[in-house]
Amino acid sequence: MKYLTPLKLSIYSVMLFSFFMLESPIIMLANRIEPMLMGIPFLLVWNLFWWFVLTALFLVAYFTNWGSHAPTTAHVTKQPSQGD
């Protein structure tokens, strides 16, 4: 049985919010040339920011062993040595 810990719930929530901000019609609000940030149109900065947020979330999820109940070595197979 899977349990939703507060960390997993917060990762799910921020991930869904980030996908919503990246792929929803809200992006039409960011579809503007002005303001330009560091010479980059605002829409491109918007997309890069939300992709950075998602990438950071996946990195946090990876380091916190997200998706598994506890770290186990059951999935690790022993490699045969040279002499076997």
Side-chain angles (χ1 to χ4, degrees), residues 15-35:
M15 194 177 296
L16 286 175
F17 178 74
S18 299
F19 275 122
F20 181 75
M21 294 301 284
L22 189 62
E23 301 291 336
S24 71
I26 288 178
I27 201 167
M28 296 306 290
L29 296 174
N31 192 9
R32 299 169 193 255
I33 299 294
E34 298 289 335

Side-chain angles (χ1 to χ4, degrees), residues 3-16 66:
Y3 297 101
L4 276 178
T5 62
L7 178 64
K8 286 182 183 179
L9 189 61
S10 62
I11 289 174
Y12 277 128
S13 301
V14 177
M15 194 177 296
L16 286 175
W66 182 55

Side-chain angles (χ1 to χ4, degrees), residues 50-63:
W50 288 112
W51 276 112
F52 174 76
V53 169
L54 284 171
T55 302
L57 269 176
F58 284 121
L59 186 65
V60 168
Y62 174 76
F63 283 131

Side-chain angles (χ1 to χ4, degrees), residues 55-77:
T55 302
L57 269 176
F58 284 121
L59 186 65
V60 168
Y62 174 76
F63 283 131
T64 58
N65 209 4
W66 182 55
S68 65
H69 295 288
T72 63
T73 59
H75 64 281
V76 177
T77 59

